[in-house]
Amino acid sequence: MKLAKTQSERISLRIFTAYLLLFSIGFSAVRMNAQSAPVDLDPDVSAVDSKASDANNGFRVEKLQVAGGSELITIFCRPGNPAADGLGPVADIPLVSILRDTLGDEVPENDRLRYVWMLTYTEATLTQRISSFVPFLYTRTTNKKKIGTDPPPPIIDLSASNKTMWAKVFWIIFRKLVFDDIGVGVKASTLQYRQNAADYRRSAVAAAMTVLSLYQEIEGEKVLSETELKDIQARLSLTDKTFGWHMQSENLGRFFDKDLTQIRDYRGHNWELLRQFSEAQGLFFDPIEMPDGSARHAVLWASASDIKANKGKKFERRFLNIDSPWEDESLANWSGYSQIRWYDANDREVEPDTPNAHPRTLIPLALYGLDHPKVPVILVDFRDNGNPKRRELSRRILNDLTGNVLSLSKFGGVPFFFGRFIYDFATGRRGADLNQASRLQSYSQLKLLMSLEASLDPEFKNDITHKIERTALNPLHNDTDVEARLARTQYANLVAYAKRSDGLAKKISADRREEMSVLKHNGQVRALFSVAHFLSLGFYTHREKGSPENIAQLSVRRQLEFHERFLREVAFSSADPEIDRDPDDVRTSLVFISENGSAAEAKTSRALAKLFAISRDDDIQTLCLTGLYRINSSTAKKELLAIYNNPKTDNRWRDVSAHYLRLALKERQRISDRDARTIANIAAN
């Protein structure tokens, strides 16, 4: 009995400790739950700095000034079928809001992007939360009907922070402390909710990235710069990567470009694959264009006359993943949606009034997503809605059964590792779109497309939307039409929160004071602050005083980071900065480093040394040497010494380098012992 009691106490203590850790993770998440009164958008707010986009793509942007020196930028879209919402053609949907902290001045170099809201993403209702705890419940239950007055939860804080890493560390600790001792039911329920919540956020991130990519293609003036748009999308893409938070700002643009190139390669591959296989089977391939002209989805159609003529014909379903239309009696007596299109003698689609054109009645068979590795994924089967849902379920059931119930990991045992590898390899090689992790992203894009696309027939759009909702697996999701109403209400709440002195302005002030810790403390100390934040259940967050002196230092620090990033990007990608870059921009950044760059990083020192080597401009080379002298680090002095010792360096630059090295030694700057002895010999000579 005593042993049992001890065991029970040990389990209880572990559960209590672990739930404290779990609470700290949830409590420390970035949320803004302040209460505010419901508000209607007044004309002054909706008209502030409004930028209208090209009417063809239906986007516009509003910019709202926030007290204390911030801007709330919101991207609106014009619904593809506004009349269906009953709100008229001017009832645009607010989709994505972004907060830009400007420090209240006109210096763009010290601006910093902070929060991103996907306004269709909201806190779940109690019924939705309870449903998401039920293991193996893969269906949507209820919609959220009332929003209340709270501001919406942001999907990401764009500031680079190690809090995400610590959250994952504490989650691992929680699982080790609790899940070894509690029952399978509690464990499966808890992990089921965590998975549903993570998938709901991932779908919001995917939708936000789609909106931003479409807005990026707008011609003309934009409120958000090209660099800012790339940075936001790159940060969103990195949210699920373990060390994504640690990516340096100068790498974000390259990451975005690489990721975009890869997606376009997938899209082109899947486009051609689906087109060839569909046409080989006698079907019609029809890509759906987004407002920016790209096609992320495609529909396959069958001609009613071909269905009758091809009865008994063999059908190869590889990559198409649908049943044969030639043996389907339901298609012979089809009562669902269909279209009449006109074709010439070569079966090319033409206008109805084209001479010798003949009509064809086309019946939709399936809709596919194209932005995915290896094979296109089927998202809608117009004859069997269970087909895509079973494929959607394949990954969730496999992961939930092995991970949530059996606690198996790919790296936990050799048999499971090889079994899972062989299964994934076989399904991939066979062209089966099972276990597609990217399927969630495609459904999010498709739901958004149904809100934006105006060229599709409204009846066809409604049919697709209805089938998407029936395929939904996550109890936390809401219907597409409900999300439009939620977005408008959440935007009104966010505007009300931004206009309150104790609302968003207070939140940004606290964030700035937390950011100021970089001015006073090194990386190790700031890591301890993060640990203390979680161990205190989020009640402790280290912040410096928001004095005018600290604000001024923060402005200089942000400007320094801006110019450091620019110079690193130039050094990495430029072959000749006088030709492929604006020399005036390069000089401006170098001047700032030479005047305020004592705290610049080691990578900046290497960038200046490279710029000195590849430049032929006297001013740029002089500023590079001055910057290396100004940066108070051993790396900068090592690079300056290397320039002096390089036999290819012109004598005048060697004289300047020697002068700066002697000054650095005299001022007791950070120099390695070995380099200090070498510099002392130079000074003696």
mmCIF file with all atom_site columns, all heavy atoms in Angstrom, residues 304-321:
data_model
loop_
_atom_site.group_PDB
_atom_site.id
_atom_site.type_symbol
_atom_site.label_atom_id
_atom_site.label_alt_id
_atom_site.label_comp_id
_atom_site.label_asym_id
_atom_site.label_entity_id
_atom_site.label_seq_id
_atom_site.pdbx_PDB_ins_code
_atom_site.Cartn_x
_atom_site.Cartn_y
_atom_site.Cartn_z
_atom_site.occupancy
_atom_site.B_iso_or_equiv
_atom_site.pdbx_formal_charge
_atom_site.auth_seq_id
_atom_site.auth_comp_id
_atom_site.auth_asym_id
_atom_site.auth_atom_id
_atom_site.pdbx_PDB_model_num
ATOM 1   N N   . ALA A 1 304 ? -20.156 14.787 -72.409 1.00 0.00 ? 304 ALA A N   1
ATOM 2   C CA  . ALA A 1 304 ? -21.298 13.858 -72.337 1.00 0.00 ? 304 ALA A CA  1
ATOM 3   C C   . ALA A 1 304 ? -21.321 12.926 -73.542 1.00 0.00 ? 304 ALA A C   1
ATOM 4   O O   . ALA A 1 304 ? -21.650 11.737 -73.419 1.00 0.00 ? 304 ALA A O   1
ATOM 5   C CB  . ALA A 1 304 ? -22.601 14.652 -72.240 1.00 0.00 ? 304 ALA A CB  1
ATOM 6   N N   . SER A 1 305 ? -20.957 13.428 -74.716 1.00 0.00 ? 305 SER A N   1
ATOM 7   C CA  . SER A 1 305 ? -20.945 12.569 -75.905 1.00 0.00 ? 305 SER A CA  1
ATOM 8   C C   . SER A 1 305 ? -19.848 11.515 -75.816 1.00 0.00 ? 305 SER A C   1
ATOM 9   O O   . SER A 1 305 ? -20.034 10.373 -76.268 1.00 0.00 ? 305 SER A O   1
ATOM 10  C CB  . SER A 1 305 ? -20.751 13.426 -77.162 1.00 0.00 ? 305 SER A CB  1
ATOM 11  O OG  . SER A 1 305 ? -19.545 14.183 -77.075 1.00 0.00 ? 305 SER A OG  1
ATOM 12  N N   . ASP A 1 306 ? -18.695 11.866 -75.223 1.00 0.00 ? 306 ASP A N   1
ATOM 13  C CA  . ASP A 1 306 ? -17.615 10.888 -75.072 1.00 0.00 ? 306 ASP A CA  1
ATOM 14  C C   . ASP A 1 306 ? -17.989 9.798  -74.083 1.00 0.00 ? 306 ASP A C   1
ATOM 15  O O   . ASP A 1 306 ? -17.547 8.646  -74.217 1.00 0.00 ? 306 ASP A O   1
ATOM 16  C CB  . ASP A 1 306 ? -16.336 11.589 -74.611 1.00 0.00 ? 306 ASP A CB  1
ATOM 17  C CG  . ASP A 1 306 ? -15.737 12.484 -75.681 1.00 0.00 ? 306 ASP A CG  1
ATOM 18  O OD1 . ASP A 1 306 ? -16.092 12.321 -76.862 1.00 0.00 ? 306 ASP A OD1 1
ATOM 19  O OD2 . ASP A 1 306 ? -14.908 13.368 -75.326 1.00 0.00 ? 306 ASP A OD2 1
ATOM 20  N N   . ILE A 1 307 ? -18.764 10.144 -73.061 1.00 0.00 ? 307 ILE A N   1
ATOM 21  C CA  . ILE A 1 307 ? -19.171 9.147  -72.066 1.00 0.00 ? 307 ILE A CA  1
ATOM 22  C C   . ILE A 1 307 ? -19.979 8.037  -72.731 1.00 0.00 ? 307 ILE A C   1
ATOM 23  O O   . ILE A 1 307 ? -19.804 6.842  -72.437 1.00 0.00 ? 307 ILE A O   1
ATOM 24  C CB  . ILE A 1 307 ? -19.976 9.817  -70.940 1.00 0.00 ? 307 ILE A CB  1
ATOM 25  C CG1 . ILE A 1 307 ? -19.062 10.750 -70.136 1.00 0.00 ? 307 ILE A CG1 1
ATOM 26  C CG2 . ILE A 1 307 ? -20.609 8.784  -70.026 1.00 0.00 ? 307 ILE A CG2 1
ATOM 27  C CD1 . ILE A 1 307 ? -19.801 11.592 -69.114 1.00 0.00 ? 307 ILE A CD1 1
ATOM 28  N N   . LYS A 1 308 ? -20.813 8.430  -73.644 1.00 0.00 ? 308 LYS A N   1
ATOM 29  C CA  . LYS A 1 308 ? -21.608 7.419  -74.358 1.00 0.00 ? 308 LYS A CA  1
ATOM 30  C C   . LYS A 1 308 ? -20.752 6.661  -75.369 1.00 0.00 ? 308 LYS A C   1
ATOM 31  O O   . LYS A 1 308 ? -20.871 5.439  -75.510 1.00 0.00 ? 308 LYS A O   1
ATOM 32  C CB  . LYS A 1 308 ? -22.775 8.099  -75.069 1.00 0.00 ? 308 LYS A CB  1
ATOM 33  C CG  . LYS A 1 308 ? -23.762 8.763  -74.123 1.00 0.00 ? 308 LYS A CG  1
ATOM 34  C CD  . LYS A 1 308 ? -24.877 9.458  -74.909 1.00 0.00 ? 308 LYS A CD  1
ATOM 35  C CE  . LYS A 1 308 ? -25.859 10.136 -73.965 1.00 0.00 ? 308 LYS A CE  1
ATOM 36  N NZ  . LYS A 1 308 ? -26.936 10.862 -74.708 1.00 0.00 ? 308 LYS A NZ  1
ATOM 37  N N   . ALA A 1 309 ? -19.858 7.369  -76.059 1.00 0.00 ? 309 ALA A N   1
ATOM 38  C CA  . ALA A 1 309 ? -19.067 6.730  -77.116 1.00 0.00 ? 309 ALA A CA  1
ATOM 39  C C   . ALA A 1 309 ? -17.981 5.819  -76.564 1.00 0.00 ? 309 ALA A C   1
ATOM 40  O O   . ALA A 1 309 ? -17.589 4.850  -77.228 1.00 0.00 ? 309 ALA A O   1
ATOM 41  C CB  . ALA A 1 309 ? -18.436 7.815  -78.005 1.00 0.00 ? 309 ALA A CB  1
ATOM 42  N N   . ASN A 1 310 ? -17.473 6.111  -75.388 1.00 0.00 ? 310 ASN A N   1
ATOM 43  C CA  . ASN A 1 310 ? -16.341 5.365  -74.830 1.00 0.00 ? 310 ASN A CA  1
ATOM 44  C C   . ASN A 1 310 ? -16.755 4.272  -73.850 1.00 0.00 ? 310 ASN A C   1
ATOM 45  O O   . ASN A 1 310 ? -15.920 3.782  -73.087 1.00 0.00 ? 310 ASN A O   1
ATOM 46  C CB  . ASN A 1 310 ? -15.381 6.319  -74.122 1.00 0.00 ? 310 ASN A CB  1
ATOM 47  C CG  . ASN A 1 310 ? -14.683 7.253  -75.083 1.00 0.00 ? 310 ASN A CG  1
ATOM 48  O OD1 . ASN A 1 310 ? -14.509 6.936  -76.251 1.00 0.00 ? 310 ASN A OD1 1
ATOM 49  N ND2 . ASN A 1 310 ? -14.291 8.423  -74.580 1.00 0.00 ? 310 ASN A ND2 1
ATOM 50  N N   . LYS A 1 311 ? -18.001 3.911  -73.835 1.00 0.00 ? 311 LYS A N   1
ATOM 51  C CA  . LYS A 1 311 ? -18.459 2.878  -72.912 1.00 0.00 ? 311 LYS A CA  1
ATOM 52  C C   . LYS A 1 311 ? -17.696 1.581  -73.165 1.00 0.00 ? 311 LYS A C   1
ATOM 53  O O   . LYS A 1 311 ? -17.612 1.101  -74.296 1.00 0.00 ? 311 LYS A O   1
ATOM 54  C CB  . LYS A 1 311 ? -19.960 2.650  -73.081 1.00 0.00 ? 311 LYS A CB  1
ATOM 55  C CG  . LYS A 1 311 ? -20.560 1.744  -72.030 1.00 0.00 ? 311 LYS A CG  1
ATOM 56  C CD  . LYS A 1 311 ? -22.068 1.678  -72.169 1.00 0.00 ? 311 LYS A CD  1
ATOM 57  C CE  . LYS A 1 311 ? -22.695 0.787  -71.113 1.00 0.00 ? 311 LYS A CE  1
ATOM 58  N NZ  . LYS A 1 311 ? -22.476 1.316  -69.751 1.00 0.00 ? 311 LYS A NZ  1
ATOM 59  N N   . GLY A 1 312 ? -17.095 1.033  -72.098 1.00 0.00 ? 312 GLY A N   1
ATOM 60  C CA  . GLY A 1 312 ? -16.294 -0.172 -72.212 1.00 0.00 ? 312 GLY A CA  1
ATOM 61  C C   . GLY A 1 312 ? -14.824 0.086  -72.454 1.00 0.00 ? 312 GLY A C   1
ATOM 62  O O   . GLY A 1 312 ? -14.015 -0.847 -72.433 1.00 0.00 ? 312 GLY A O   1
ATOM 63  N N   . LYS A 1 313 ? -14.444 1.346  -72.682 1.00 0.00 ? 313 LYS A N   1
ATOM 64  C CA  . LYS A 1 313 ? -13.041 1.687  -72.932 1.00 0.00 ? 313 LYS A CA  1
ATOM 65  C C   . LYS A 1 313 ? -12.246 1.596  -71.633 1.00 0.00 ? 313 LYS A C   1
ATOM 66  O O   . LYS A 1 313 ? -12.713 1.978  -70.554 1.00 0.00 ? 313 LYS A O   1
ATOM 67  C CB  . LYS A 1 313 ? -12.949 3.101  -73.513 1.00 0.00 ? 313 LYS A CB  1
ATOM 68  C CG  . LYS A 1 313 ? -11.538 3.571  -73.776 1.00 0.00 ? 313 LYS A CG  1
ATOM 69  C CD  . LYS A 1 313 ? -11.542 5.007  -74.307 1.00 0.00 ? 313 LYS A CD  1
ATOM 70  C CE  . LYS A 1 313 ? -10.123 5.520  -74.496 1.00 0.00 ? 313 LYS A CE  1
ATOM 71  N NZ  . LYS A 1 313 ? -10.111 6.933  -74.990 1.00 0.00 ? 313 LYS A NZ  1
ATOM 72  N N   . LYS A 1 314 ? -11.001 1.102  -71.711 1.00 0.00 ? 314 LYS A N   1
ATOM 73  C CA  . LYS A 1 314 ? -10.148 0.999  -70.540 1.00 0.00 ? 314 LYS A CA  1
ATOM 74  C C   . LYS A 1 314 ? -9.755  2.396  -70.055 1.00 0.00 ? 314 LYS A C   1
ATOM 75  O O   . LYS A 1 314 ? -9.437  3.276  -70.852 1.00 0.00 ? 314 LYS A O   1
ATOM 76  C CB  . LYS A 1 314 ? -8.894  0.193  -70.874 1.00 0.00 ? 314 LYS A CB  1
ATOM 77  C CG  . LYS A 1 314 ? -7.966  0.002  -69.677 1.00 0.00 ? 314 LYS A CG  1
ATOM 78  C CD  . LYS A 1 314 ? -6.729  -0.799 -70.060 1.00 0.00 ? 314 LYS A CD  1
ATOM 79  C CE  . LYS A 1 314 ? -5.801  -0.940 -68.853 1.00 0.00 ? 314 LYS A CE  1
ATOM 80  N NZ  . LYS A 1 314 ? -4.562  -1.693 -69.195 1.00 0.00 ? 314 LYS A NZ  1
ATOM 81  N N   . PHE A 1 315 ? -9.763  2.572  -68.745 1.00 0.00 ? 315 PHE A N   1
ATOM 82  C CA  . PHE A 1 315 ? -9.435  3.871  -68.154 1.00 0.00 ? 315 PHE A CA  1
ATOM 83  C C   . PHE A 1 315 ? -8.241  3.699  -67.211 1.00 0.00 ? 315 PHE A C   1
ATOM 84  O O   . PHE A 1 315 ? -8.269  2.874  -66.297 1.00 0.00 ? 315 PHE A O   1
ATOM 85  C CB  . PHE A 1 315 ? -10.638 4.416  -67.379 1.00 0.00 ? 315 PHE A CB  1
ATOM 86  C CG  . PHE A 1 315 ? -10.405 5.778  -66.776 1.00 0.00 ? 315 PHE A CG  1
ATOM 87  C CD1 . PHE A 1 315 ? -10.495 6.921  -67.547 1.00 0.00 ? 315 PHE A CD1 1
ATOM 88  C CD2 . PHE A 1 315 ? -10.095 5.916  -65.424 1.00 0.00 ? 315 PHE A CD2 1
ATOM 89  C CE1 . PHE A 1 315 ? -10.297 8.176  -66.989 1.00 0.00 ? 315 PHE A CE1 1
ATOM 90  C CE2 . PHE A 1 315 ? -9.895  7.165  -64.858 1.00 0.00 ? 315 PHE A CE2 1
ATOM 91  C CZ  . PHE A 1 315 ? -9.991  8.306  -65.642 1.00 0.00 ? 315 PHE A CZ  1
ATOM 92  N N   . GLU A 1 316 ? -7.183  4.455  -67.461 1.00 0.00 ? 316 GLU A N   1
ATOM 93  C CA  . GLU A 1 316 ? -5.990  4.435  -66.610 1.00 0.00 ? 316 GLU A CA  1
ATOM 94  C C   . GLU A 1 316 ? -6.121  5.555  -65.582 1.00 0.00 ? 316 GLU A C   1
ATOM 95  O O   . GLU A 1 316 ? -6.067  6.732  -65.927 1.00 0.00 ? 316 GLU A O   1
ATOM 96  C CB  . GLU A 1 316 ? -4.731  4.637  -67.464 1.00 0.00 ? 316 GLU A CB  1
ATOM 97  C CG  . GLU A 1 316 ? -3.449  4.745  -66.665 1.00 0.00 ? 316 GLU A CG  1
ATOM 98  C CD  . GLU A 1 316 ? -3.186  3.537  -65.791 1.00 0.00 ? 316 GLU A CD  1
ATOM 99  O OE1 . GLU A 1 316 ? -3.050  2.421  -66.344 1.00 0.00 ? 316 GLU A OE1 1
ATOM 100 O OE2 . GLU A 1 316 ? -3.143  3.714  -64.546 1.00 0.00 ? 316 GLU A OE2 1
ATOM 101 N N   . ARG A 1 317 ? -6.268  5.190  -64.311 1.00 0.00 ? 317 ARG A N   1
ATOM 102 C CA  . ARG A 1 317 ? -6.549  6.177  -63.281 1.00 0.00 ? 317 ARG A CA  1
ATOM 103 C C   . ARG A 1 317 ? -5.293  6.660  -62.563 1.00 0.00 ? 317 ARG A C   1
ATOM 104 O O   . ARG A 1 317 ? -5.385  7.443  -61.620 1.00 0.00 ? 317 ARG A O   1
ATOM 105 C CB  . ARG A 1 317 ? -7.520  5.612  -62.249 1.00 0.00 ? 317 ARG A CB  1
ATOM 106 C CG  . ARG A 1 317 ? -7.060  4.336  -61.564 1.00 0.00 ? 317 ARG A CG  1
ATOM 107 C CD  . ARG A 1 317 ? -8.039  3.945  -60.473 1.00 0.00 ? 317 ARG A CD  1
ATOM 108 N NE  . ARG A 1 317 ? -8.031  4.905  -59.378 1.00 0.00 ? 317 ARG A NE  1
ATOM 109 C CZ  . ARG A 1 317 ? -8.942  4.942  -58.409 1.00 0.00 ? 317 ARG A CZ  1
ATOM 110 N NH1 . ARG A 1 317 ? -9.961  4.098  -58.447 1.00 0.00 ? 317 ARG A NH1 1
ATOM 111 N NH2 . ARG A 1 317 ? -8.858  5.808  -57.441 1.00 0.00 ? 317 ARG A NH2 1
ATOM 112 N N   . ARG A 1 318 ? -4.122  6.213  -63.010 1.00 0.00 ? 318 ARG A N   1
ATOM 113 C CA  . ARG A 1 318 ? -2.908  6.638  -62.333 1.00 0.00 ? 318 ARG A CA  1
ATOM 114 C C   . ARG A 1 318 ? -2.753  8.161  -62.423 1.00 0.00 ? 318 ARG A C   1
ATOM 115 O O   . ARG A 1 318 ? -2.924  8.746  -63.491 1.00 0.00 ? 318 ARG A O   1
ATOM 116 C CB  . ARG A 1 318 ? -1.689  5.955  -62.949 1.00 0.00 ? 318 ARG A CB  1
ATOM 117 C CG  . ARG A 1 318 ? -0.415  6.204  -62.151 1.00 0.00 ? 318 ARG A CG  1
ATOM 118 C CD  . ARG A 1 318 ? 0.786   5.523  -62.766 1.00 0.00 ? 318 ARG A CD  1
ATOM 119 N NE  . ARG A 1 318 ? 1.971   5.714  -61.935 1.00 0.00 ? 318 ARG A NE  1
ATOM 120 C CZ  . ARG A 1 318 ? 3.197   5.343  -62.288 1.00 0.00 ? 318 ARG A CZ  1
ATOM 121 N NH1 . ARG A 1 318 ? 3.389   4.765  -63.460 1.00 0.00 ? 318 ARG A NH1 1
ATOM 122 N NH2 . ARG A 1 318 ? 4.213   5.546  -61.485 1.00 0.00 ? 318 ARG A NH2 1
ATOM 123 N N   . PHE A 1 319 ? -2.416  8.757  -61.315 1.00 0.00 ? 319 PHE A N   1
ATOM 124 C CA  . PHE A 1 319 ? -2.265  10.209 -61.133 1.00 0.00 ? 319 PHE A CA  1
ATOM 125 C C   . PHE A 1 319 ? -3.604  10.942 -61.146 1.00 0.00 ? 319 PHE A C   1
ATOM 126 O O   . PHE A 1 319 ? -3.714  12.024 -60.592 1.00 0.00 ? 319 PHE A O   1
ATOM 127 C CB  . PHE A 1 319 ? -1.334  10.841 -62.173 1.00 0.00 ? 319 PHE A CB  1
ATOM 128 C CG  . PHE A 1 319 ? 0.061   10.329 -62.119 1.00 0.00 ? 319 PHE A CG  1
ATOM 129 C CD1 . PHE A 1 319 ? 0.599   9.639  -63.194 1.00 0.00 ? 319 PHE A CD1 1
ATOM 130 C CD2 . PHE A 1 319 ? 0.849   10.522 -60.995 1.00 0.00 ? 319 PHE A CD2 1
ATOM 131 C CE1 . PHE A 1 319 ? 1.893   9.161  -63.150 1.00 0.00 ? 319 PHE A CE1 1
ATOM 132 C CE2 . PHE A 1 319 ? 2.140   10.042 -60.950 1.00 0.00 ? 319 PHE A CE2 1
ATOM 133 C CZ  . PHE A 1 319 ? 2.669   9.358  -62.023 1.00 0.00 ? 319 PHE A CZ  1
ATOM 134 N N   . LEU A 1 320 ? -4.614  10.376 -61.796 1.00 0.00 ? 320 LEU A N   1
ATOM 135 C CA  . LEU A 1 320 ? -5.931  11.014 -61.780 1.00 0.00 ? 320 LEU A CA  1
ATOM 136 C C   . LEU A 1 320 ? -6.705  10.624 -60.524 1.00 0.00 ? 320 LEU A C   1
ATOM 137 O O   . LEU A 1 320 ? -7.452  11.438 -59.966 1.00 0.00 ? 320 LEU A O   1
ATOM 138 C CB  . LEU A 1 320 ? -6.736  10.624 -63.025 1.00 0.00 ? 320 LEU A CB  1
ATOM 139 C CG  . LEU A 1 320 ? -6.055  10.930 -64.374 1.00 0.00 ? 320 LEU A CG  1
ATOM 140 C CD1 . LEU A 1 320 ? -6.982  10.544 -65.523 1.00 0.00 ? 320 LEU A CD1 1
ATOM 141 C CD2 . LEU A 1 320 ? -5.667  12.390 -64.470 1.00 0.00 ? 320 LEU A CD2 1
ATOM 142 N N   . ASN A 1 321 ? -6.558  9.389  -60.078 1.00 0.00 ? 321 ASN A N   1
ATOM 143 C CA  . ASN A 1 321 ? -7.132  8.911  -58.815 1.00 0.00 ? 321 ASN A CA  1
ATOM 144 C C   . ASN A 1 321 ? -8.650  9.073  -58.744 1.00 0.00 ? 321 ASN A C   1
ATOM 145 O O   . ASN A 1 321 ? -9.204  9.425  -57.700 1.00 0.00 ? 321 ASN A O   1
ATOM 146 C CB  . ASN A 1 321 ? -6.460  9.621  -57.630 1.00 0.00 ? 321 ASN A CB  1
ATOM 147 C CG  . ASN A 1 321 ? -4.988  9.295  -57.526 1.00 0.00 ? 321 ASN A CG  1
ATOM 148 O OD1 . ASN A 1 321 ? -4.592  8.132  -57.581 1.00 0.00 ? 321 ASN A OD1 1
ATOM 149 N ND2 . ASN A 1 321 ? -4.166  10.328 -57.411 1.00 0.00 ? 321 ASN A ND2 1
#
